[in-house]
Amino acid sequence: MSTRSTDSARPRRQALSAEGISKTFGNSASAHRVLRDVDLRIEPGEFVCIVGPSGAGKTTLLRALSGLAVPSTGTVRLGDRVVTEPQAEIGVVFQDYRGSLMPWMRVCDNVAFPLEGRGVPRRERRSRAEEALTSVGLADVGRKYPWQLSGGMQQRVAIARGLAYESSILVMDEPFGSVDAQTRFELEDLTLALRARFGITIIVVTHDIDEAVYLSDRVVVLSGKPATVVETVDVGLGGERDQLLTRAEPEFTRLRTHILGRIRGDGAPERATKVESAALGSE
Ligand code: ADP
């Protein structure tokens, strides 16, 4: 995946922005307003996590940013272009690999499949899929079927599919929510490594505040009903992250405590525990 051909084929990097977007579901008789006046600008190459209480509208915002849903009011822009439909530049990885990979297709074909719709010739589809699988550490599994792989490996396949699309922006909705804790750490580090290697923009929705702080350059905090951006928090933990060392830093604890307070709407609390943090996201 790091070959020159693939990197040069990756589209021009552009900022992605939400300008005053709101989203209401239902009709006038039973309207359910989920998002209100969300303003957000994500620069090329940034790693941004979106956090907020369960049901706040994180997925709804992510769908609008990726062109999978159109906001009720306001505009999403990729560079100068208004986004109203899925974009070639934006790859999407969903939480549940079981629902997003096709069990009757070999792994390689799963990764190559979206490229067919873009008219990429067969031979190139195959080579791009192989490169993408190599970049997520799965060079040898292309001939297998998804159900022959572990959950963590299947989610790597889903990430490879987003990369093979040659997107400059990878949008991920609770991407590590369906795997065990150890695999989750591995996938977090893989995602950081892919950002460092390819310079792509990565936007992750997560209910796990610790994960958001660990991964991000900035954390966008959504709260309220309807939800809006209550704060965008800069994460000054440096470029090199380490699962043990970074999470033990006092600044890490300060950030997670601050963010938890903003989500609860009660300012930065004196004490915040991992249990409280996890409970916020429980469905
Ligand atoms: P989060 O990702 O923060 O958990 P969601 O964006 O999934 O929140 O959902 C926010 C709210 O919008 C929820 O109350 C959900 O039921 C509602 N919602 C989401 N999608 C739809 C839809 N297609 N139709 C109606 N309501 C929806």
Side-chain angles (χ1 to χ4, degrees):
M1 193 65 180
S2 64
T3 62
R4 265 171 293 151
S5 64
T6 305
D7 283 348
S8 61
R10 214 166 275 282
R12 192 162 56 90
R13 305 188 319 155
Q14 302 176 91
L16 183 65
S17 56
E19 299 168 7
I21 68 169
S22 300
K23 183 72 180 179
T24 302
F25 292 107
N27 53 35
S28 54
S30 62
H32 178 195
R33 198 172 183 207
V34 174
L35 296 176
R36 171 176 59 90
D37 298 333
V38 173
D39 286 309
L40 184 61
R41 181 181 165 89
I42 299 162
E43 301 297 337
E46 264 198 304
F47 203 131
V48 171
C49 283
I50 300 170
V51 300
S54 186
K58 301 181 294 297
T59 295
T60 302
L61 175 58
L62 205 68
R63 286 174 60 79
L65 287 171
S66 54
L68 291 170
V70 179
S72 306
T73 58
T75 305
V76 173
R77 258 180 239 280
L78 179 61
D80 296 332
R81 198 181 340 139
V82 175
V83 172
T84 54
E85 58 185 7
Q87 306 289 302
E89 292 94 332
I90 304 177
V92 183
V93 178
F94 298 101
Q95 171 178 0
D96 193 354
Y97 48 83
R98 286 166 294 228
S100 68
L101 298 179
M102 287 161 281
W104 63 89
M105 277 189 184
R106 293 184 195 276
V107 163
C108 199
D109 294 329
N110 261 287
V111 175
F113 179 68
L115 300 172
E116 200 174 335
R118 286 180 62 191
V120 177
R122 193 167 185 279
R123 185 186 293 247
E124 192 181 335
R125 290 203 300 270
R126 180 154 295 274
S127 69
R128 279 204 212 171
E130 285 170 359
E131 286 174 10
L133 284 168
T134 301
S135 73
V136 298
L138 292 179
D140 302 327
V141 306
R143 302 283 302 160
K144 291 189 187 292
Y145 290 92
W147 42 268
Q148 294 177 298
L149 308 180
S150 70
M153 290 167 87
Q154 290 184 57
Q155 194 57 315
R156 282 173 187 254
V157 173
I159 294 170
R161 185 169 56 187
L163 289 170
Y165 211 58
E166 308 216 320
S167 31
S168 57
I169 301 174
L170 207 52
V171 165
M172 308 169 96
D173 189 359
E174 298 278 7
F176 316 129
S178 303
V179 297
D180 61 80
Q182 180 58 36
T183 305
R184 187 172 190 133
F185 285 171
E186 287 168 15
L187 290 174
E188 287 170 1
D189 288 338
L190 169 72
T191 309
L192 283 171
L194 293 172
R195 193 277 290 262
R197 186 166 172 187
F198 299 121
I200 50 181
T201 309
I202 301 186
I203 307 166
V204 172
V205 156
T206 177
H207 67 262
D208 185 327
I209 298 169
D210 288 34
E211 178 170 270
V213 173
Y214 181 72
L215 289 172
S216 299
D217 299 319
R218 286 192 297 146
V219 178
V220 174
V221 184
L222 280 189
S223 194
K225 281 186 185 299
T228 194
V229 177
V230 292
E231 189 174 344
T232 301
V233 179
D234 288 324
V235 178
L237 290 170
E240 291 292 316
R241 309 279 164 103
D242 177 277
Q243 292 288 0
L244 291 178
L245 300 179
T246 304
R247 288 172 189 267
E249 285 187 31
E251 179 63 1
F252 185 94
T253 309
R254 190 193 70 76
L255 287 165
R256 70 192 282 273
T257 304
H258 176 75
I259 291 167
L260 179 59
R262 293 313 311 259
I263 290 174
R264 295 200 312 200
D266 59 2
E270 289 295 309
R271 295 175 346 132
T273 64
K274 173 81 181 174
V275 175
E276 284 177 288
S277 165
L280 264 176
S282 57
E283 297 292 323

